[in-house]
Amino acid sequence: FHANKVFLVIKPLKANSSTKVKVFLDGKLVNNISAGEDVRDGEVLVNEDRLYNLIDLKGITSDHILKLEFENSGTEIFAFTFG
């Protein structure tokens, strides 16, 4: 991606459940400096269907590779948006 921020709409498998998604930036678990507001220690806790802020490069737009690892199969993703 070529952007400053990355957002993704994610829905857990079942209502009233949660799952974790690991977020990697350029082959490494994203650090707290580059992580979006919904990422803690490289992971997103998905406990409701909504837009999650995955990456925030604090105004520095550049080319990167994003990789996501889902803890549970059946987690649904809908739309990436970039800022």
Side-chain angles (χ1 to χ4, degrees):
F1 70 91
H2 181 87
N4 166 44
K5 296 183 180 185
V6 179
F7 303 88
L8 178 61
V9 176
I10 312 173
K11 179 182 177 184
L13 177 61
K14 298 177 184 175
N16 300 319
S17 68
S18 65
T19 188
K20 291 181 181 177
V21 179
K22 288 185 180 181
V23 180
F24 294 85
L25 183 64
D26 299 327
K28 298 178 185 174
L29 198 60
V30 68
N31 61 38
N32 290 334
I33 295 169
S34 299
E37 64 184 42
D38 294 308
V39 179
R40 300 287 178 266
D41 299 321
E43 293 184 335
V44 178
L45 177 63
V46 178
N47 53 12
E48 61 181 322
D49 43 329
R50 67 176 180 87
L51 182 70
Y52 290 86
N53 182 342
L54 303 180
I55 301 291
D56 185 350
L57 299 175
K58 316 297 188 268
I60 302 170
T61 299
S62 56
D63 293 323
H64 296 280
I65 296 173
L66 176 69
K67 176 183 170 185
L68 303 175
E69 286 185 2
F70 295 85
E71 178 180 62
N72 298 319
S73 62
T75 303
E76 296 182 64
I77 61 171
F78 294 96
F80 277 103
T81 56
F82 301 91

